[in-house]
Structure formats: structure tokens, C-alpha cells
Amino acid sequence: MSVTGAAADGNLASLKVYASYDKGEPWIRAAVLSRHALVLSPAPGKGGWLKAVSTDKLGNTVTPEIIDAHRAK
């Protein structure tokens, strides 16, 4: 995921990233360091979902979800 639009170019106020290894139940908050999220790899043969909650300095929020964002071999 990358931040684009109104929250890009220094306008990002907050960024939270979540991962799920069971189709969104539950969402586990990931650590975000310097705009990079640290997530665990899913179990072999399984997929991981990602969700980000980003807010710009004007208070606008967007919450994209990526289903099967990464799949373990």
C-alpha cells in the first residue's frame, strides 16, 4: 500500500495498518515505522489481508482493504 491523494506529500496526519489471516476476523494492528508497516507472513498456503486507515491533516479518512494481499508458499 502507498499513500496517495490528499494525504500524500507531507499531509498525512495518521496511518494505522491492520492485518488479518482469517478473512478479516479478527484484524490485528501492525506496527508502523516511518510509514512502513510490519506484518507477519501468513501460514503456508494461506493468504493475508491488509487494511489501512489513513487520515490527512484536514481530517479526511480513507480505509482501503486488500484481500489476499500476500500469500505464503
Side-chain angles (χ1 to χ4, degrees), residues 5-60:
D9 301 325
N11 291 317
L12 182 66
S14 70
L15 174 63
K16 297 175 187 165
V17 177
Y18 300 87
S20 175
Y21 305 98
D22 193 18
K23 301 180 181 179
E25 295 293 330
W27 287 104
I28 301 164
R29 188 162 176 188
V32 176
L33 305 169
S34 298
R35 297 173 70 163
H36 292 79
L38 304 173
V39 297
L40 298 174
S41 291
K46 301 288 183 175
W49 292 17
L50 294 177
K51 173 171 68 172
V53 180
S54 61
T55 304
D56 67 16
K57 291 180 179 176
L58 296 175
N60 301 304

Side-chain angles (χ1 to χ4, degrees), residues 4 43 73:
T4 60
K73 291 184 179 184

